[in-house]
Amino acid sequence: LREVLAVVIEDRPGGLDRLTQLLAKADVNINNAYGFVLESRKRAVFVLDVNQAEKARNLLIEKGFPLLDTEALAQVEPFHYMKY
């Protein structure tokens, strides 16, 4: 098992770039990641396996990125909640 961070981002051009640029500037490496859309053109979730989880978590909270805890992530059923 690995600790991951589930980050809610805007589902729009540049939404993911904003997240990755923030982590890059803080020297946080992304080892693995996947994402899915919750609401088209509104919200997406990007799940990150990073080399410095606690540092990344604190930075994301500080910059206003909502994070999902383990229970919330497990309850998300991306294929049932997509609104296209």
Side-chain angles (χ1 to χ4, degrees):
L1 297 175
R2 302 210 30 115
E3 179 180 2
V4 296
L5 301 173
V7 186
V8 178
I9 62 173
E10 293 180 86
D11 181 34
R12 64 170 184 79
L16 180 57
D17 183 61
R18 181 175 167 240
L19 171 64
T20 57
Q21 291 297 325
L22 177 67
L23 294 174
K25 287 179 185 173
D27 293 321
V28 174
N29 293 321
I30 299 172
N31 300 322
N32 198 0
Y34 67 92
F36 53 90
V37 174
L38 291 174
E39 295 177 81
S40 184
R41 299 188 179 119
K42 291 185 181 180
R43 297 182 311 142
V45 174
F46 205 65
V47 181
L48 303 166
D49 170 12
V50 297
N51 68 331
Q52 299 178 69
E54 192 61 33
K55 179 179 180 179
R57 179 188 318 282
N58 292 338
L59 179 62
L60 294 169
I61 290 169
E62 175 187 321
K63 297 300 182 178
F65 282 90
L67 299 175
L68 300 178
D69 62 17
T70 304
E71 185 176 312
L73 180 59
Q75 291 178 4
V76 174
E77 299 177 52
F79 299 107
H80 295 161
Y81 288 102
M82 283 192 239
K83 297 178 183 174
Y84 287 100

